[in-house]
Amino acid sequence: MPIIDLHCDTVTLCYEKGWEICGNPHTHLSLERMAGVGNWCQAFAIYLPDKLRGEEAVDFYNRAHEFYRQQLKKYSHLVLPVRCFDDIDAAARQGKVAAILTVEGGSVLLGDPGRVNLLARQGVKMLTLTWNSANELAGGQAEDTGLTEAGRRVITRMEEQGIIIDVSHLGDTGFWQLMEIARRPVAASHSNSRAVCPHPRNLTDDQFRAIARMGGLVGLNFYVQFLAAPGQEVTFDHLLAHIRHFLSLGGEDVIALGSDFDGADLPGFIDRDIKLASLAQSMIKSGLSKGIVEKILWKNAYDFFKRYQQESPRFRI
């Protein structure tokens, strides 16, 4: 079964450690293993820590982006960068991993809408407005100050340039302010259900419904702290509880994967790329229909990207 995963931190981790993104025994994801699983589309995030602001954030992004670009060039026999929706299919036909470039942390923009154009030219397809603290655009879940005026202008420019707005990490105040002005569907690339696990990084039922109403997308996060209460041994049943709850909210066409590979502590049943191939079997054995499992593993994200490009031609570069 094909796989589309909306979030991992593998590129940033490898950049910081001086590792390769292929042939790497230390990481949750490695290109040769992913290619072996087959038909895999992965969103690779360049993550900007909250300690970085201003030119330090830009410099970090530039270095990490150059690392990403060079790694994709070096391993071009295994991976194909996604510049438009059709590249996802092209990668599958060639037996390669489809790589979607994303950014985790709007500090890279310096509060300047003009920098959105630069990221779009570099092939960035999705950007989280914040990490946990406030930046020039908005407040994160740990510092919930809402959208700034610069953030509002950036949101408009992102929609114009075809960069998907990612609300994961965004504070509740900023989330609802965004919902008032957003004209295109948004994604929560790696966020679970707050009703199932009461962590502020997870989505409330009302937030999930709002994303669903606008045709958006929510990626299931495998981080143990977002799956279950502290101290619990996290099992597949915890992930299943989030899936079933989202389905009860009308999320059949909304739920996707947002693993957080190489960016979080993951439970043993899903702590490596090759284990994702067996996730479909576990879901089906739990009573989920094959059709719903296909939607979660790839089809909802695939259809979302297709719709987004049709509605926002600039998604194609």
Side-chain angles (χ1 to χ4, degrees), residues 140-197:
Q141 62 89 16
E143 196 176 356
D144 187 15
T145 55
L147 296 179
T148 67
E149 286 305 311
R152 293 173 182 270
R153 293 192 297 270
V154 160
I155 286 165
T156 299
R157 185 64 63 87
M158 286 175 64
E159 291 184 327
E160 291 172 352
Q161 291 296 313
I163 296 180
I164 298 162
I165 297 166
D166 183 358
V167 302
S168 287
H169 289 280
L170 185 62
D172 290 354
T173 302
F175 176 93
W176 291 113
Q177 291 172 337
L178 169 62
M179 289 297 106
E180 293 176 359
I181 63 175
R183 295 180 297 116
R184 300 197 185 282
V186 304
S189 66
H190 55 306
S191 297
N192 294 339
S193 167
R194 203 179 300 181
V196 176
C197 177

Side-chain angles (χ1 to χ4, degrees), residues 196-198 224-234 238:
V196 176
C197 177
V224 292
Q225 291 191 23
F226 300 162
L227 287 171
Q232 290 185 283
E233 182 180 353
V234 178
H238 291 100

Side-chain angles (χ1 to χ4, degrees), residues 15-36:
Y15 163 68
E16 292 183 315
K17 295 289 189 180
W19 295 341
E20 299 284 296
I21 64 172
C22 185
N24 194 326
H26 308 292
T27 49
H28 295 147
L29 294 180
S30 189
L31 284 179
E32 83 289 351
R33 298 195 302 264
M34 298 161 73

